Amino acid sequence: MERPFGLLAELTYRCPLACAYCSNPLELARYDDELPTADWQRVFAEAAEMGVLQCHLSGGEPLLRRDLVDLVRTAADLGMYTNLVTSAIGLSRPRAEALKAAGLDHVQVSVQADEPETSDRIAGIPSFERKLKAAAVVKDLGWPLTVNVVLHRQNIDRIAEIVALVEELEADRVELANTQYYGWAWRNRAALLPGREQLAHAEDVVRDARSRLAGRMEIVHVLPDYYSEYPKPCMGGWAARQIIVTPNGDAMPCLAAHTLPLPAPSVRENSLEAIWDDSPMFSAFRGTGWMQDPCRTCERREIDFGGCRCQAFQLTGDATRADPVCHLSPDHGLVTEAVEQANAGSRPALELLVPRPHRG
């Protein structure tokens, strides 16, 4: 059995932003009892013992954890590559310098748009200028900088301007990732799913930017699942590469696994290794034995592993069915219907989206 190489430590779901595409769970109050410092440090040690090489510190907004510097130091001392995934709200220079001294290796900053009005409206608070200042601090302190931009119907038409902004920030890498429809994004899908012409324009911009910026900036472009012929291999295969630990200590193989009718194992009660090896949450969809047709007899079954189990459950109520994104799925009509609606004309305005509640 494969061992994980990545740990995504979701330290808190508290966040100053109110993005309507947030993938955090809808029931945020369930995660208010956050793991204390000592428990997170134990989890990091167990992860390192299993061979985990990368520790991604995320949320919510991880900078809201007062013990973040201590947690970074622990992960770094264990030999893991540490990456801070942040909105950059609260990344002052003194805080950044302390994180640098603790051994933080990389910073990923989210940006909602290329100019203040749109960015602040999507984020739910005035934040654009603070993000730019924080990105400048990241570069000044010598960190590699990744800028993450979640694309959707409300900002994708300005992708060329977004790329220009990222270039000005001297980012080493940019993730232009279309929204994945879980959590708050699922609730707001009708206003977020872009149309075909928008996607075609974005692909042209990305193609030109990759050619122009080759050797200077890595550009990752993730298309919406709904427009794909085949599904993506969810997380590289169920419970194959990464462990996610939520703020309250639940462990999952992917970000949306809390939606499945499976008991969530907790690091408060079990070791990370026992959870990875034996828990129903992690073993339910390993390999191909769980598959129904058409996946069971498909030549792609060990390429895309039937697609996303959480998406299959969300759309069909059965986590063992083929991901409806796949054009071979008997449920593919559920996806084509949503796509056709996205291309039918006017969509709800951004102001009508259901925002993620502020929890600071």
Side-chain angles (χ1 to χ4, degrees):
M1 185 168 58
E2 295 183 69
R3 311 304 284 172
F5 67 74
L7 170 68
L8 176 60
E10 297 192 307
L11 301 179
T12 180
Y13 284 152
R14 291 174 287 143
C15 185
L17 304 187
C19 305
Y21 55 75
C22 182
S23 62
N24 286 167
L26 299 179
E27 298 176 357
L28 291 171
R30 174 184 167 190
Y31 301 90
D32 285 348
D33 182 18
E34 296 176 3
L35 288 179
T37 306
D39 281 357
W40 275 117
Q41 290 172 324
R42 172 180 55 82
V43 168
F44 291 175
E46 291 175 354
E49 182 67 23
M50 293 175 68
V52 167
L53 302 175
Q54 302 171 359
C55 182
H56 304 276
L57 304 156
S58 181
E61 177 44 69
L63 288 166
L64 291 173
R65 289 280 303 214
R66 295 181 179 180
D67 58 356
L68 181 60
V69 170
D70 291 334
L71 295 179
V72 167
R73 183 178 294 110
T74 297
D77 288 347
L78 288 165
M80 291 188 284
Y81 184 88
T82 53
N83 174 35
L84 178 65
V85 183
T86 177
S87 69
I89 305 302
L91 189 60
S92 64
R93 188 177 186 92
R95 193 83 185 278
E97 289 175 343
L99 290 167
K100 182 76 173 180
L104 183 67
D105 293 303
H106 183 274
V107 180
Q108 176 176 313
V109 174
S110 67
V111 172
Q112 280 68 33
D114 64 289
E115 49 86 30
E117 182 180 357
T118 303
S119 178
D120 293 348
R121 192 167 70 247
I122 293 173
I125 64 167
S127 55
F128 181 76
E129 297 299 338
R130 283 184 282 177
K131 288 173 177 286
L132 299 194
K133 289 179 181 179
V137 169
V138 170
K139 294 298 295 184
D140 191 47
L141 291 180
W143 273 308
L145 171 64
T146 292
V147 173
N148 175 262
V149 185
V150 177
L151 297 174
H152 45 79
R153 193 177 193 93
Q154 310 291 340
N155 66 0
I156 195 170
D157 290 334
R158 294 189 60 83
I159 189 170
E161 292 81 1
I162 289 170
V163 170
L165 171 66
V166 174
E167 189 176 357
E168 287 179 20
L169 295 176
E170 299 181 349
D172 302 278
R173 184 172 182 269
V174 60
E175 295 180 357
L176 302 168
N178 273 271
T179 303
Q180 302 297 307
Y181 294 98
Y182 307 104
W184 300 91
W186 168 251
R187 180 171 285 188
N188 290 301
R189 185 182 70 174
L192 294 174
L193 186 62
R196 294 187 183 90
E197 291 185 4
Q198 291 180 301
L199 290 173
H201 169 68
E203 288 189 88
D204 289 341
V205 170
V206 169
R207 188 181 305 110
D208 291 345
R210 280 176 170 159
S211 176
R212 179 171 54 83
L213 298 172
R216 293 169 51 197
M217 182 192 302
E218 179 186 0
I219 299 177
V220 178
H221 185 212
V222 182
L223 293 173
D225 285 359
Y226 282 44
Y227 284 88
S228 301
E229 183 178 9
Y230 295 104
K232 299 179 181 70
C234 180
M235 306 297 289
W238 187 264
R241 298 184 178 181
Q242 185 162 256
I243 295 179
I244 296 162
V245 178
T246 65
N248 68 346
D250 289 347
M252 305 185 301
C254 81
L255 287 167
H258 65 275
T259 63
L260 298 177
L262 292 169
S266 174
V267 299
R268 297 177 191 262
E269 302 165 359
N270 302 280
S271 71
L272 212 56
E273 185 171 29
I275 288 170
W276 177 267
D277 288 343
D278 301 321
S279 69
M281 173 68 81
F282 280 75
S283 59
F285 305 113
R286 275 196 178 114
T288 59
W290 56 269
M291 290 181 175
Q292 301 183 29
D293 282 330
C295 298
R296 180 180 300 170
T297 54
C298 181
E299 62 184 11
R300 293 179 56 86
R301 65 184 176 277
E302 294 187 6
I303 298 174
D304 57 36
F305 306 102
C308 178
R309 297 301 87 223
C310 302
Q311 191 157 254
F313 180 73
Q314 181 171 256
L315 292 172
T316 73
D318 184 350
T320 67
R321 292 182 73 81
D323 186 340
V325 161
C326 182
H327 75 287
L328 300 174
S329 166
D331 305 303
H332 187 56
L334 297 171
V335 170
T336 58
E337 180 181 1
V339 168
E340 292 311 309
Q341 289 175 356
N343 288 276
S346 62
R347 313 301 300 154
L350 181 66
E351 290 78 5
L352 299 179
L353 297 175
V354 179
R356 179 198 190 276
H358 294 283
R359 297 180 74 86

